[in-house]
Amino acid sequence: MPARILLVEDNEMNRDMLSRRLVRRGYTVRVAVDGQDGLDQVHAQSPDLVLLDMDLPVIDGWEVARRLKAAPQTRGIPIIALTAHAMVGDRDRALEAGCDDYDIKPVELPRLLGKIEALVGGTAS
């Protein structure tokens, strides 16, 4: 069974491009357009992994990560932060918020796939 990924991304072009590329790699992908939508979908769908933009409307990704890791029912779901923030300390900030890994935008698919596979236990297909 393919890994189920929730992509929480407010930018339509980024969301569409990344979701299409992940589906082509064999993943099942759902999308959320803001932080609240992301939280709601995690609770409704229980994905295997969350790709989380950190600059989201309604509730930002930092707070989404904190809430997911604070709740017993969602604590074990791996989160990869996706952000254009590539400054010193941003990776540590994402990990402190509860993210399991961190990747910068623009996304380099091979690098991101390696991180996804490391967290969900193997390749899709």
Side-chain angles (χ1 to χ4, degrees), residues 22-36:
L22 291 169
V23 167
R24 278 199 302 268
R25 291 292 199 280
Y27 294 101
T28 299
V29 179
R30 298 231 181 225
V31 296
V33 298
D34 62 50
Q36 184 62 58

Side-chain angles (χ1 to χ4, degrees), residues 59-77:
I59 300 172
D60 68 31
W62 311 102
E63 182 62 21
V64 170
R66 283 190 284 271
R67 290 185 191 186
L68 290 175
K69 292 303 181 174
Q73 66 271 32
T74 57
R75 176 176 298 141
I77 298 171

Side-chain angles (χ1 to χ4, degrees), residues 5-112:
I5 296 174
L6 175 63
L7 172 60
V8 188
E9 167 67 66
D10 64 319
N11 180 289
E12 185 177 3
M13 283 187 7
N14 290 345
R15 190 172 59 237
D16 291 347
M17 180 273 306
L18 188 52
S19 63
R20 279 197 317 272
R21 293 172 83 186
L22 291 169
V23 167
R24 278 199 302 268
R25 291 292 199 280
Y27 294 101
T28 299
V29 179
R30 298 231 181 225
V31 296
V33 298
D34 62 50
Q36 184 62 58
D37 187 21
L39 285 171
D40 293 344
Q41 288 204 45
V42 166
H43 290 288
Q45 306 292 329
S46 193
D48 297 311
L49 179 118
V50 176
L51 294 175
L52 182 62
D53 180 23
M54 302 313 279
D55 293 320
L56 293 167
V58 185
I59 300 172
D60 68 31
W62 311 102
E63 182 62 21
V64 170
R66 283 190 284 271
R67 290 185 191 186
L68 290 175
K69 292 303 181 174
Q73 66 271 32
T74 57
R75 176 176 298 141
I77 298 171
I79 301 169
I80 298 177
L82 296 179
T83 181
H85 295 283
M87 304 297 286
V88 173
D90 284 331
R91 183 179 192 282
D92 291 339
R93 183 175 171 217
L95 297 177
E96 287 168 12
C99 295
D100 297 275
D101 208 336
Y102 167 93
D103 204 57
I104 57 170
K105 295 178 184 178
V107 169
E108 290 179 19
L109 193 62
R111 181 184 63 212
L112 181 60

